[in-house]
Amino acid sequence: MGKRLLLIALVLLTGCKGNSQEVKKENKKESKKETAYKVSKTDAEWRAELTDMEYYVLRRAATENAFSSDLLDNKQKGTYVCAGCGTPLFKSEHKFDSGTGWPSFDREIKGNVAYDVDYKIGVARTEEHCAVCGGHLGHVFDDGPRNTTGKRHCINGVALDFIPDPK
């Protein structure tokens, strides 16, 4: 009899569903926040203005192949701007060779790069995008040069255009 009562008590305790166990379900319209950017275009306008690769990286958050960017070994002085809208994003003096195969910078031009978190590979990563048009740039990591910021802004070269400094 005691075993039967214990079994009934265990079933009742484990079968009870409290409010703390319920997962709140948000309305999808409420949970996805749309950000209004200064430069806003339709998907068709972006497709018409960008190359296929620029479109997939900037508008679909793709990643170009490592070591494929013409800007990877660029040593000229100048400014790296968003390939989508021309916003200045990184200065050449903050570029360094990270060995990863993508242009890397230890800092951004403040206010022109925005951040979000993505979980596309199953872990949280800090995604970077242009603060003016929302174009995906790459990700920022904490394994950059320790003698400066310690940050490595790992950027898709196709998301950037380079403007050399005037001579």
Side-chain angles (χ1 to χ4, degrees), residues 6-164:
L6 181 60
L7 181 62
I8 290 171
L10 285 174
V11 169
L12 287 174
L13 286 174
T14 59
C16 292
K17 184 177 174 187
N19 286 338
S20 65
Q21 295 173 329
E22 289 188 24
V23 176
K24 292 184 180 181
K25 294 180 183 176
E26 295 180 15
N27 183 344
K28 285 189 178 188
K29 288 182 182 176
E30 290 177 26
S31 66
K32 185 171 182 170
K33 296 177 184 175
E34 286 294 321
T35 303
Y37 294 102
K38 291 178 188 173
V39 174
S40 181
K41 299 178 184 182
T42 66
D43 191 60
E45 289 172 320
W46 284 118
R47 279 188 181 270
E49 292 180 20
L50 301 171
T51 67
D52 285 345
M53 194 62 192
E54 287 172 338
Y55 174 80
Y56 286 112
V57 169
L58 287 165
R59 308 316 307 169
R60 295 288 175 242
T63 301
E64 69 185 357
N65 291 330
F67 301 100
S68 66
S69 173
D70 294 338
L71 296 176
L72 184 61
D73 296 321
N74 182 25
K75 305 276 192 251
Q76 293 180 323
K77 291 187 179 204
T79 304
Y80 294 86
V81 301
C82 176
C85 69
T87 298
L89 302 171
F90 302 97
K91 300 293 278 172
S92 61
E93 60 259 27
H94 301 131
K95 187 173 185 249
F96 68 97
D97 183 3
S98 66
T100 61
W102 290 278
S104 298
F105 305 86
D106 69 354
R107 68 195 79 172
E108 78 285 8
I109 295 175
K110 296 285 184 210
N112 292 352
V113 175
Y115 303 92
D116 204 354
V117 176
D118 84 40
Y119 295 91
K120 289 177 187 154
I121 63 169
V123 295
R125 295 183 301 170
T126 303
E127 178 186 3
E128 296 182 84
H129 56 272
C130 175
V132 175
C133 73
H136 170 77
L137 303 172
H139 295 86
V140 63
F141 302 97
D142 291 325
D143 59 0
R146 294 287 169 221
N147 61 333
T148 61
T149 64
K151 301 290 183 189
R152 174 175 54 96
H153 298 260
C154 187
I155 307 300
N156 290 285
V158 73
L160 303 172
D161 287 332
F162 180 73
I163 311 288

